[in-house]
Amino acid sequence: MSKPIVIHWFRRDLRLADNPALNAAVDHAREADATLLCLYIHDEHTAGDWAWGGAHRWWLDKSLKSLGDTLSERGNKLVLRAGEAQAVLEELLDAHDIVGVYWNRCYEAFAIKRDKAIKDHIKERGITVESFNGSLLNEPWTIETKTGGPYKVFTPYWRAMLGKGGIHEPSNAHKSLPPAPRLNSENQTDWGLHPHEPDWSHGLAKRWTPGEEYARDRLRRFLDGKIAGYHEKRDFPGDHGTSRMSPHLHWGEISPRQIWHMAVDAHGHPSKTDVTEPYLREIGWREFSYHLIYHFPDLPTDPLNQKFADFPWRNDADDLKAWQYGNTGVPIIDAGMRELYETGWQHNRVRMITGSFLVKNLLLHWTEGERWFWDTLVDGDLASNSAGWQWIGGCGADA
Ligand code: FAD
């Protein structure tokens, strides 16, 4: 008789280290003498308008390969399934003796809705199901104003976060994993994640190496060097003075807890040193974006400040296209937009300048910029992108 199965559902946590849901699944599998199904579901339906863009798909392709290799080295394997997540999971539950399902949480409205429905179904079947915080320093609901509501201004949020403390030590990756069940995996190349006809991804490949190992190496190099000058250098796009951790964080190849503790161990706590403060404060902005999208689920589409709901934006397809492809005639805008198209990334200060140009000079709606960034960024993140564009649009938090 085949052994029972425990599932770890990989989503935006494409790593082994500091992965609380994976740790719980491994413990459960060992206790129950079960196999461990490491599952990734390629679901193009649930996110609706926010399905992955082209640059996302390129990154996902490489990161899944890297994760699959690491799992194989540790005695397991990555099983790939495509389809609507709930249907894929139901099918597995119907066909096999599944005794536990584990995942790390996502915070976008569509993901919360999907996960709640899936959790309810699994519970009804009497199967263990648990979710964890694998991608934030603090759950969005655990930091509140004195009156018990969400923050809309960053600095008091950051102070409250520093005051709260208690950021758990990250856990190490398991050196070996329980064996995988005998289940077939789909063929990743059938998903068409890598662009073809034309393959426009050379610029991305030149700039990036997706995967957990490289994410940690990149962070180590940054902490050994550039962090010392980060405070000043981060304002100059030509200086490469920032960490470029954003895509690795977006895909969960590294966790913010790992970043926090590696930075603090190397250079001290942000409340005590201005080596780590400016850098970890930016990780704080990421947290703040998640705080906002959790409390204001319409952040990607509706102005936080409703005063701007009827703003008379222009509608001009030619101007939009000139901005998108870097043909405005303004050198820094065009350089930034071409860099984005070529490499899937833009420096924060350039995002601010190109965004402001779209919104304040061309008077085009901030959601046009948000959408283009979503389709072209390797780090396109619904929380940070929406919060960034609302800020640019003058209608967001702390704008
Ligand atoms: P570093 O300066 O090294 O910062 C370290 C980490 O802190 C980053 O990797 C990122 O995770 C976080 N961070 C830094 N600045 C911000 C910020 N302003 N808001 C939220 N988190 C921040 N960031 C994304 O990760 N995804 C997006 O889709 C995204 N869209 C943006 C859109 C606009 C219009 C603007 C103005 C900003 C956007 N940002 C986004 C935030 C920021 O520009 C990028 O996180 C940063 O440029 C990434 O480079 P880095 O990793 O070298 O950053």
Side-chain angles (χ1 to χ4, degrees):
M1 213 178 77
S2 56
K3 287 185 174 187
I5 299 174
V6 174
I7 298 180
H8 172 69
W9 177 16
F10 279 102
R11 295 127 58 96
R12 292 236 308 281
D13 55 335
L14 304 180
R15 66 175 185 278
L16 266 63
D18 194 37
N19 188 325
L22 178 64
N23 292 346
V26 168
D27 289 349
H28 188 169
R30 286 193 173 135
E31 274 159 29
D33 191 22
T35 53
L36 174 68
L37 170 54
C38 290
L39 176 69
Y40 183 84
I41 305 174
H42 182 47
D43 178 350
E44 305 213 71
H45 312 281
T46 304
D49 287 344
W50 302 107
W52 297 133
H56 284 129
R57 291 165 68 89
W58 177 87
W59 191 288
L60 178 63
D61 187 48
K62 316 299 167 263
S63 196
L64 286 178
K65 281 193 188 121
S66 165
L67 178 67
D69 290 347
T70 314
L71 289 171
S72 300
E73 285 159 21
R74 317 270 160 127
N76 199 283
K77 69 172 191 176
L78 187 61
V79 172
L80 305 172
R81 289 287 150 90
E84 202 240 322
Q86 181 153 2
V88 170
L89 285 166
E90 292 283 339
E91 212 178 289
L92 286 167
L93 297 174
D94 286 343
H96 304 280
D97 178 18
I98 311 282
V99 294
V101 184
Y102 296 84
W103 66 74
N104 291 307
R105 287 182 204 110
C106 294
Y107 302 90
E108 301 84 0
F110 65 81
I112 292 174
K113 189 170 161 217
R114 170 198 65 198
D115 292 351
K116 190 178 171 324
I118 291 176
K119 210 178 228 184
D120 289 349
H121 268 86
I122 299 178
K123 273 190 192 152
E124 274 166 26
R125 288 173 172 250
I127 295 170
T128 303
V129 53
E130 269 192 81
S131 61
F132 294 81
N133 170 13
S135 59
L136 294 175
L137 298 173
N138 292 288
E139 292 288 22
W141 53 87
T142 59
I143 297 198
E144 296 182 320
T145 60
K146 289 204 175 77
T147 53
Y151 281 95
K152 280 188 169 181
V153 179
F154 175 72
T155 304
Y157 171 87
W158 173 236
R159 265 195 236 113
M161 207 189 110
L162 283 181
K164 185 168 177 283
I167 294 165
H168 294 300
E169 288 277 345
S171 61
N172 293 327
H174 289 276
K175 291 204 167 64
S176 70
L177 293 166
R182 285 173 188 275
L183 281 184
N184 289 336
S185 175
E186 288 181 23
N187 191 345
Q188 196 176 313
T189 46
D190 293 344
W191 293 355
L193 297 173
H194 188 89
H196 61 288
E197 291 173 23
D199 180 351
W200 44 258
S201 67
H202 306 292
L204 273 63
K206 251 200 278 175
R207 173 69 74 86
W208 302 104
T209 307
E212 177 175 12
E213 196 182 332
Y214 190 81
R216 226 180 8 243
D217 283 356
R218 176 164 238 159
L219 179 67
R220 259 200 211 106
R221 272 183 277 125
F222 176 74
L223 294 177
D224 287 347
K226 289 186 173 165
I227 194 169
Y230 176 78
H231 183 45
E232 283 171 10
K233 293 277 171 73
R234 66 183 290 263
D235 285 334
F236 298 95
D239 268 349
H240 301 296
T242 67
S243 69
R244 303 202 181 190
M245 292 309 294
S246 52
H248 301 289
L249 268 167
H250 169 74
W251 294 102
E253 296 170 354
I254 194 161
S255 75
R257 275 192 298 254
Q258 289 173 282
I259 294 185
W260 183 277
H261 282 283
M262 281 172 72
V264 169
D265 290 351
H267 300 287
H269 193 272
S271 60
K272 301 210 175 81
T273 156
D274 42 8
V275 177
T276 51
E277 202 280 341
Y279 183 61
L280 293 177
R281 171 184 272 265
E282 296 308 317
I283 302 292
W285 270 100
R286 177 178 181 272
E287 295 280 306
F288 185 53
S289 303
Y290 276 87
H291 181 76
L292 291 174
I293 204 166
Y294 175 76
H295 287 289
F296 306 99
D298 294 329
L299 192 75
T301 48
D302 292 358
L304 211 54
N305 183 344
Q306 276 297 310
K307 202 168 79 182
F308 290 88
D310 297 320
F311 189 86
W313 299 105
R314 286 173 64 238
N315 203 341
D316 188 319
D318 291 340
D319 276 359
L320 178 61
K321 200 164 176 204
W323 178 81
Q324 289 171 331
Y325 293 96
N327 292 318
T328 65
V330 183
I332 185 131
I333 308 297
D334 293 348
M337 296 310 291
R338 289 176 197 183
E339 180 188 26
L340 173 60
Y341 200 67
E342 177 74 12
T343 69
W345 189 84
Q346 226 180 50
H347 189 280
N348 173 259
R349 295 325 195 203
V350 183
R351 293 185 205 207
M352 288 174 162
I353 301 169
T354 57
S356 295
F357 187 82
L358 181 84
V359 169
K360 289 164 187 159
N361 294 63
L362 298 178
L363 285 180
L364 298 177
H365 201 301
W366 57 270
T367 53
E368 296 283 7
E370 181 194 30
R371 166 53 61 189
W372 184 250
F373 271 30
W374 183 256
D375 289 340
T376 50
L377 279 170
V378 284
D379 67 18
D381 189 276
L382 205 55
S384 300
N385 198 36
S386 316
W389 277 100
Q390 290 245 7
W391 188 88
I392 295 284
C395 54
D398 217 348

